[in-house]
C-alpha cells in the first residue's frame, strides 16, 4: 500500500432539494406513493458503500438518494471504501475487463484486491438492516455478513454482459452470497442464484448539475472558457477514460469540420478511483493538436454548475463511449432538451431510442455523419430533444429510483 491510503470515511451527502420540491416535475401522486411506501420502512437502517465520493455516476446518484432516503424516514449511511494506488489500478483493470477488455490478471492483482478488502473490513461497520454494495471494488465486503435477517444487495453499474472470465470467476466468490443483484439493463443479466432487478440509474433534476440556469451564467461560463457562443458547440462531458473514447470524438469532430464550422468541447475531470485519467487527457491533447476550436477542459470535482452551463450551451451533446454502464451524461443532456448523438453500447440504447429520442452510432464516421445531419436539420434535432426530455421524466429521475429502492427493501425485508 502506498501514500494514497486514507482512512475509511462516512460521506455526508450534500443536502439538496426535499421531496416536496419535486411535485411540479413528477406530480403529487409519485411523491405520495413514495411516502406511503417509506411509511412501512420507518427507522430501517441502510448502508450504502462505494469507492469514490466524487467523480462518476455512482457518487452522483448517492449524493441525492441518501438524503432523500433519510427524509422519508430511513436511517441511511453512505461509506466510501479506501485503498492505495495499487488497489485502484487493479480495480480499474477489473472494471475494463468486466466491460470485456482482454486481461490476464496476475495472482498479485487478486492478492491486492483481497488484502484491501480485509483492511476495509476492519474499519467499516455493517450492522444495518440492509447493505447496498455498489460495483466490484467493495464486492468482497459481503464477508462481513452476519447471520440473521440482514439483507445484502449488490448494485452492479457495469455492463457485465460479456465479462472477462478471469475477473468474473473471481467475483463469483462473492456475488452469489448476496440476496439480490441490481443491474442497469436486462441485457446485463448473468446466471446467478440471487434474483436480479433492473434499476435504471437516474438524475436529480434539482441538483446544481441539472437545475435551470440563467442565460447570463451560461454566457459567462462560455466566456471563461473562451468558447464562441455564436458558432455551433459539440460537447462530450466525461471523465478522461479510454472507454469514453475522447480521441474518437476528436476524430469525428475533424470529419465534421471538413464540411461545417463548429467547435468541440471535451470537458471532464478524474475520479478518485480512476488512476488512468492523466494519461488519457494527454492522448486527447495530442489528438487535438493546436486547433483553437477544440476546448479540452480539465474540471475540478466542484464543477456541477459549469458542466450544467456547458451542456445547456451546447448545440449537440455526444457520448461516444466504447463501453458504457448507462451514461448519466446522456440522461443529463436529454433532460436539458439537447439533441444527443451517442454510441449504441451498454445502457445508452435504453435512453436513446434511435430517431425518436436521439441518434445512435457505431463508429467515428457514423458519429460525424449524425452530427452533420443534426446541425443541418435543427427542427428534427429539437423534436428528438423534446422527446428525450419526456423519456427521462418518465423513467430516469431520482424519485423513480427512490421508489424502486423502497419497493426492493420492502420485498427483501418480508
Ligand atoms: N461528471 C462530472 N465531472 C466530470 C465528468 C463527469 O461531474 O468531470 C459527471 C457527469 O455529469 C455525470 C457523471 O459524472 O453525472 C458520469 O456518469 P456516467 O454514467 O456518464 O459515467 P461514469 O463516469 O459513471 O462512467
Amino acid at each position: 500500500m502506498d501514500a494514497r491510503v486514507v482512512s475509511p470515511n462516512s460521506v455526508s451527502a450534500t443536502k439538496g432539494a426535499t421531496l416536496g420540491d419535486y411535485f411540479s416535475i413528477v406530480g403529487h401522486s409519485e411523491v405520495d406513493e413514495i411516502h406511503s411506501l417509506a411509511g412501512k420502512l420507518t427507522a430501517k437502517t441502510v448502508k450504502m458503500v462505494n469507492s469514490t465520493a466524487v467523480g462518476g455516476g455512482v457518487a452522483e446518484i448517492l449524493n441525492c438518494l441518501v438524503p432523500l432516503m433519510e427524509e422519508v424516514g430511513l436511517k441511511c449511511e453512505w461509506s466510501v471504501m479506501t485503498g492505495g494506488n495499487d488497489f485502484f489500478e487493479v480495480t480499474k483493470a477489473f472494471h475494463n475487463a468486466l466491460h470485456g477488455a482482454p486481461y490476464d490478471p496476475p495472482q498479485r492483482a487478486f492478492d491486492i484486491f483481497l488484502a484491501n478488502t480485509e483492511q476495509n473490513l476492519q474499519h467499516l461497520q455493517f450492522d444495518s438492516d440492509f447493505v447496498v454494495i455498489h460495483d466490484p471494488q467493495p464486492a468482497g465486503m459481503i464477508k462481513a455478513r452476519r447471520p440473521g435477517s440482514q439483507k445484502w444487495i449488490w448494485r452492479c453499474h457495469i455492463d457485465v454482459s460479456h465479462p472477462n472470465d478471469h475477473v468474473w470467476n473471481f467475483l463469483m466468490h462473492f456475488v452469489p452470497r448476496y440476496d439480490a443483484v441490481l443491474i442497469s439493463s436486462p441485457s446485463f443479466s448473468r446466471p446467478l442464484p440471487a434474483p436480479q432487478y433492473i434499476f435504471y440509474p437516474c438524475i436529480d433534476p434539482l441538483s446544481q448539475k441539472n437545475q435551470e440556469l440563467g442565460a447570463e451564467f451560461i454566457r459567462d461560463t462560455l466566456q471563461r472558457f473562451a468558447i464562441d457562443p455564436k458558432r455551433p458547440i459539440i460537447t462530450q462531458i466525461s471523465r478522461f477514460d479510454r472507454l469514453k473514447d475522447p480521441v474518437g470524438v476528436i476524430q469525428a469532430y475533424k470529419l465534421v469540420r471538413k464540411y461545417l464550422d463548429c467547435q468541440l468541447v471535451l470537458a471532464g475531470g478524474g475520479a478518485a478511483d480512476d488512476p488512468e485519467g492523466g494519461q488519457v487527457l494527454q492522448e486527447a491533447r495530442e489528438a487535438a493538436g493546436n486547433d483553437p476550436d477544440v476546448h479540452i477542459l480539465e474540471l475540478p470535482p466542484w464543477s456541477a454548475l459549469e458542466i450544467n452551463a456547458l451542456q445547456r450551451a451546447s448545440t449537440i451533446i455526444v457520448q461516444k463511449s466504447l463501453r458504457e454502464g448507462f451514461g448519466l451524461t446522456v440522461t443529463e443532456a436529454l433532460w436539458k432538451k439537447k439533441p444527443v448523438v451517442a454510441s449504441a453500447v451498454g445502457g445508452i440504447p435504453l435512453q436513446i431510442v434511435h430517431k425518436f429520442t436521439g441518434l445512435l452510432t457505431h463508429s467515428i464516421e457514423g458519429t460525424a455523419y449524425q452530427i452533420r445531419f443534426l446541425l443541418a436539420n435543427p427542427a428534427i434535432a429539437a423534436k428528438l430533444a423534446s422527446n428525450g426530455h419526456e423519456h427521462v421524466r418518465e423513467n430516469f429521475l431520482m424519485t423513480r429510483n427512490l421508489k424502486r429502492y423502497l419497493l426492493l427493501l420492502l420485498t427483501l425485508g418480508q
Side-chain angles (χ1 to χ4, degrees), residues 305-351:
L305 285 171
E306 284 76 9
I307 290 174
N308 186 343
L310 289 169
Q311 288 169 326
R312 287 183 189 278
S314 299
T315 319
I316 294 171
I317 300 278
V318 174
Q319 191 59 50
K320 213 209 136 310
S321 303
L322 301 173
R323 296 277 190 281
E324 191 59 78
F326 187 72
L328 281 178
T329 49
V330 171
T331 332
E332 290 160 5
L334 293 177
W335 182 245
K336 294 173 182 108
K337 298 190 181 162
K338 292 294 156 182
V340 175
V341 175
S343 305
V345 295
I348 289 178
L350 294 169
Q351 305 186 66

Side-chain angles (χ1 to χ4, degrees), residues 56-57 60 209 237-239 244 268-269 307 324 327-329 332:
E60 196 78 18
K209 179 72 63 63
I237 305 284
S238 272
R239 292 178 294 105
K244 309 287 183 184
I307 290 174
E324 191 59 78
L328 281 178
T329 49
E332 290 160 5

Side-chain angles (χ1 to χ4, degrees), residues 51-116:
S51 62
T52 178
V54 287
V58 181
E60 196 78 18
I61 291 170
L62 292 180
N63 237 308
C64 177
L65 183 64
V66 169
L68 286 179
M69 279 192 167
E70 288 261 303
E71 184 189 335
V72 296
L74 285 85
K75 296 197 184 324
C76 188
E77 187 198 2
W78 172 15
S79 293
V80 172
M81 80 177 303
T82 57
N85 280 346
D86 52 358
F87 175 67
F88 287 117
E89 271 154 25
V90 166
T91 56
K92 178 71 190 189
F94 282 12
H95 175 95
N96 292 343
L98 288 168
H99 270 297
Y103 177 52
D104 192 3
Q107 182 56 41
R108 190 171 167 273
F110 299 130
D111 294 343
I112 289 172
F113 187 99
L114 293 172
N116 200 82

Side-chain angles (χ1 to χ4, degrees), residues 17 19 22 25-26 30-31 34 48 57-69 199-207 210 328 331-332 335 392-406:
L19 259 185
Y22 295 87
I25 300 170
V26 297
E30 179 91 345
V31 175
I34 287 171
M48 301 275 182
V58 181
E60 196 78 18
I61 291 170
L62 292 180
N63 237 308
C64 177
L65 183 64
V66 169
L68 286 179
M69 279 192 167
F199 262 61
Y200 296 134
C202 57
I203 58 164
D204 176 8
L206 299 176
S207 68
N210 298 307
L328 281 178
T331 332
E332 290 160 5
W335 182 245
V392 173
R393 188 201 305 277
E394 282 293 310
N395 299 295
F396 310 126
L397 293 185
M398 193 60 71
T399 39
R400 182 55 56 99
N401 194 247
L402 173 60
K403 198 162 89 178
R404 287 191 77 77
Y405 265 107
L406 297 175

